[in-house]
Amino acid sequence: MQALPHPHIPLQASEGALLRARAMQAYLLALRQGLARYAEIPPVHLMVLNEADWAARVKHPYGFPFQRTSLREGLYLFLPARYPERLIWRLREALVPAIQRAGKPPGQPGDFLDLNLGHEYAHAVAVAWKLRTRVRWVDEFLANYLYLLALHLALPELYPKAKQWGLLLAQLTPSEPSLGSYETRPKRLSDQLWFQGQFTTEAARLVEERGDALLCGLLEAAPLKKSTVHKLLVGLEPRLREWFVSFAPQKRPGSSKAELGWEEVGDSF
């Protein structure tokens, strides 16, 4: 292992992974530059690991980038030194129906995974800014928003590609398109990708139409609370109400229920 200190993105890399680690560090530093204007961001550690070093440190299966974040224990991102072929083939297989509907993807599966490291970085930033709610779909949506906002501000050449990936993923067909199921039930890969597509495309709309308005409102309201975050989001961005409702199960004939409260989101959204 090689450790390289840095004030913002310190990294550790397995043998042979240093060039990849430096390239991804530069990517994250650019995203940081886009977001640091809003509030202080503590160091986020980047770990670029081969399979053996990965297994020695975390229990997650080797492959997908992920974050392990805590204000007390530190903010960490984990990225494989090389994506396993089994993961690439799983992604390709899952994307086939979307490609049949929408056409050629904007890159290879590995490109998507590398770009999506920015989404994991956004999770770490959300924790640092006390925007994490521990409502999974809210946290995923806000991470997508922060990620796309950072791209739009700091890496505008990559922003269209991230949006194109989102539009492609949104062409998949979910087994259960409710936000409540996102919270409570294990998801197959195509379902996870579909939700990612939905969150990405709505986040892109917010970034393009409203810029950083949602972020400024969230920072003013932080720390966010699980019990009030839904009302806060709708208050800051009223058009989100219609988007939330799009995930709801269809009403049964004769049902007169017009609106859903936050306490019912787990069952109905």
Side-chain angles (χ1 to χ4, degrees):
M1 291 286 294
Q2 187 164 359
L4 297 177
H6 190 280
H8 306 311
I9 310 288
L11 65 84
Q12 294 184 51
S14 296
E15 184 178 357
L18 187 57
L19 285 178
R20 172 165 167 73
R22 284 190 179 279
M24 300 310 292
Q25 180 192 49
Y27 170 53
L28 297 179
L29 285 170
L31 296 182
R32 181 189 181 280
Q33 183 179 8
L35 295 175
R37 67 189 70 182
Y38 297 102
E40 182 180 355
I41 303 174
V44 179
H45 299 258
L46 175 60
M47 313 287 286
V48 182
L49 307 176
N50 62 29
E51 194 159 3
D53 288 334
W54 183 290
R57 287 162 177 79
V58 295
K59 295 181 180 180
H60 284 66
Y62 188 66
F64 279 109
F66 78 97
Q67 46 83 26
R68 187 170 66 187
T69 49
S70 164
L71 287 178
R72 184 168 49 191
E73 299 176 6
L75 308 172
Y76 289 85
L77 305 180
F78 290 83
L79 179 73
R82 180 177 178 275
Y83 295 116
E85 282 299 316
R86 62 183 180 275
L87 173 60
I88 297 300
W89 280 106
R90 280 185 67 205
L91 269 174
R92 284 176 175 158
E93 183 178 30
L95 289 172
V96 165
I99 293 170
Q100 290 174 337
R101 294 187 182 102
K104 185 178 179 181
Q108 296 298 316
D111 301 329
F112 166 70
L113 293 171
D114 278 355
L115 196 60
N116 213 48
L117 183 64
H119 168 89
E120 302 302 328
Y121 179 73
H123 272 296
V125 173
V127 170
W129 288 350
K130 298 183 179 181
L131 302 181
R132 181 165 67 179
T133 66
R134 298 192 183 278
V135 179
R136 285 187 61 210
W137 69 264
V138 173
D139 292 339
E140 289 298 320
F141 171 61
L142 292 184
N144 272 281
Y145 169 69
L146 288 175
Y147 159 54
L148 288 175
L149 179 62
L151 281 176
H152 196 261
L153 293 171
L155 292 169
E157 70 276 12
L158 292 181
Y159 174 84
K161 183 170 289 190
K163 182 179 177 180
Q164 288 166 21
W165 276 112
L167 291 169
L168 176 67
L169 299 181
Q171 294 298 314
L172 293 168
T173 302
S175 59
E176 192 170 358
S178 73
L179 295 176
S181 73
Y182 190 85
E183 295 294 304
T184 59
R185 297 176 180 85
K187 290 294 177 191
R188 64 184 186 182
L189 179 58
S190 60
D191 286 339
Q192 295 176 41
L193 295 173
W194 180 81
F195 276 104
Q196 178 79 349
Q198 300 302 317
F199 298 158
T200 299
T201 52
E202 181 63 12
R205 182 191 69 78
L206 287 172
V207 167
E208 292 170 17
E209 294 182 5
R210 301 275 288 149
D212 61 5
L214 178 60
L215 175 57
C216 293
L218 292 171
L219 289 173
E220 187 174 346
L224 302 189
K225 297 179 181 179
K226 179 179 180 180
S227 60
T228 58
V229 67
H230 178 257
K231 184 180 293 186
L232 173 65
L233 288 170
V234 172
L236 293 171
E237 294 290 348
R239 284 186 60 185
L240 284 174
R241 182 186 299 276
E242 182 179 349
W243 184 66
F244 293 152
V245 171
S246 71
F247 291 92
Q250 295 296 314
K251 293 180 182 178
R252 293 186 295 272
S255 172
S256 60
K257 193 170 188 179
E259 290 195 16
L260 297 165
W262 175 247
E263 68 278 2
E264 298 166 294
V265 167
D267 294 325
S268 301
F269 274 18

